[in-house]
């Protein structure tokens, strides 16, 4: 911030005081505060979607849409584990062919050294806060920069204690994921993982109820 203040000797202008104040820390704090508010909104709306949605595929797509629409993330996707590959089946936002061009793996290759592979191995949220500088992000760097991605975080999704999929969020800004953001993403991981389990249990109950109705109908129609 710059400020100019005139100094007068009686009625005659004599000098000017020019002061400059560095507001970098304040602006960074404002940005972090806004990011946290948006992520709280994402967390809240995701939990609403979990309650309202009875289909896993619909839930995953809704979560991606919420991240982009209410979290102001540039892109979001959810991929399920397919062998050593993470297959991005659901996405929202500015993707522009990124998911078709890039590989996300959970083996020992270079394609597994990014946040997706790290989150899969550690079962914890992993991030890259600068796609330009992080040495492990080299295989995806050019494609990410071309699409305006500055940072990304990968959120592991579990089913019965085992890795089921990865939810990945892309920000247009570098250094978007601080300690508080990572803590919220861990809460999001637990909520979505619990939803996956509950949806699976609900599906088993529906199948069991259908079999019971089928057997009851057979018994009622049987002469023996």
């Amino acid at each position: 911030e710059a400020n100019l203040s005139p100094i007068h000797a009686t009625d005659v202008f004599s000098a000017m005081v020019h002061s400059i104040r560095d507001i970098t820390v304040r602006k960074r704090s404002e940005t972090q505060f806004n990011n946290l508010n948006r992520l709280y909104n994402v967390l809240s709306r995701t939990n609403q979607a979990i309650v309202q949605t009875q289909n896993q595929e619909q839930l995953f797509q809704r979560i991606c849409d919420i991240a982009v629409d209410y979290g102001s993330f540039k892109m979001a996707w959810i991929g399920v584990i397919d062998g050593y590959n993470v297959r991005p089946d659901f996405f929202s936002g500015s993707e522009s062919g990124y998911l078709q061009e890039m590989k996300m793996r959970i083996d020992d290759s270079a394609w597994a050294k990014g946040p997706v592979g790290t989150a899969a191995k550690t079962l914890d949220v992993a991030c890259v806060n600068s796609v330009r500088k992080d040495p492990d992000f080299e295989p995806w760097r050019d494609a990410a920069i071309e699409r305006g991605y500055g940072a990304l975080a990968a959120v592991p999704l579990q089913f019965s204690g085992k890795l089921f999929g990865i939810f990945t969020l892309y920000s247009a800004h570098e250094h978007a994921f601080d300690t508080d953001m990572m803590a919220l993403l861990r809460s999001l991981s637990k909520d979505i993982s619990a939803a996956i389990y509950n949806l699976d249990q609900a599906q088993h109950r529906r199948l069991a109820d259908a079999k019971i109705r089928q057997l009851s109908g057979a018994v009622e129609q049987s002469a023996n």
Side-chain angles (χ1 to χ4, degrees):
E1 281 182 346
N3 186 52
L4 296 172
S5 302
I7 298 177
H8 294 82
T10 65
D11 293 332
V12 181
F13 169 77
S14 60
M16 180 76 72
V17 176
H18 182 199
S19 61
I20 299 176
R21 181 171 60 177
D22 187 351
I23 61 171
T24 303
V25 174
R26 192 186 82 191
K27 297 298 289 184
R28 186 178 294 128
S29 297
E30 289 175 356
T31 299
Q32 291 172 341
F33 178 76
N34 291 333
N35 288 341
L36 274 176
N37 272 344
R38 285 194 291 268
L39 191 52
Y40 270 119
N41 196 14
V42 169
L43 189 61
S44 173
R45 291 182 179 274
T46 295
N47 281 307
Q48 291 177 20
I50 287 172
V51 172
Q52 297 168 357
T53 307
Q54 300 300 317
N55 178 278
Q56 180 175 284
E57 288 73 21
Q58 292 177 358
L59 176 62
F60 286 172
Q61 184 58 54
R62 182 65 184 133
I63 291 172
C64 292
D65 293 339
I66 288 171
V68 173
D69 295 340
Y70 298 98
S72 294
F73 289 102
K74 195 168 182 66
M75 197 262 284
W77 61 268
I78 291 179
V80 297
I81 306 303
D82 182 12
Y84 288 109
N85 291 305
V86 183
R87 191 180 69 242
D89 288 342
F90 311 91
F91 79 92
S92 185
S94 179
E95 185 262 347
S96 304
Y98 180 84
L99 298 177
Q100 284 71 42
E101 294 179 17
M102 299 295 102
K103 297 178 183 177
M104 277 67 69
R105 294 182 60 82
I106 56 173
D107 54 14
D108 295 324
S109 68
W111 295 101
K113 292 183 178 180
V116 172
T118 302
K121 291 175 183 177
T122 62
L123 295 180
D124 193 11
V125 178
C127 73
V128 164
N129 263 319
S130 176
V131 302
R132 296 177 180 273
K133 298 178 181 178
D134 193 291
D136 292 331
F137 199 70
E138 194 277 331
W140 306 272
R141 192 185 320 282
D142 291 342
I145 292 174
E146 180 182 347
R147 289 161 177 81
Y149 305 149
L152 66 149
V155 180
L157 306 178
Q158 300 183 58
F159 175 70
S160 296
K162 295 183 179 180
L163 184 69
F164 173 84
I166 303 287
F167 177 33
T168 310
L169 303 159
Y170 293 72
S171 173
H173 308 287
E174 292 190 343
H175 307 292
F177 301 99
D178 60 9
T179 303
D180 292 332
M181 291 279 281
M182 297 289 277
L184 281 180
L185 289 176
R186 290 186 180 96
S187 296
L188 189 61
S189 173
K190 292 178 181 178
D191 291 344
I192 299 174
S193 296
I196 294 170
Y197 176 81
N198 291 334
L199 286 172
D200 180 75
Q201 292 300 302
Q203 176 67 11
H204 281 300
R205 285 194 295 271
R206 286 193 293 270
L207 291 174
D209 289 344
K211 288 182 179 179
I212 289 173
R213 287 194 297 271
Q214 185 180 23
L215 288 173
S216 296
V219 169
E220 290 173 359
Q221 296 174 14
S222 174
N224 188 341

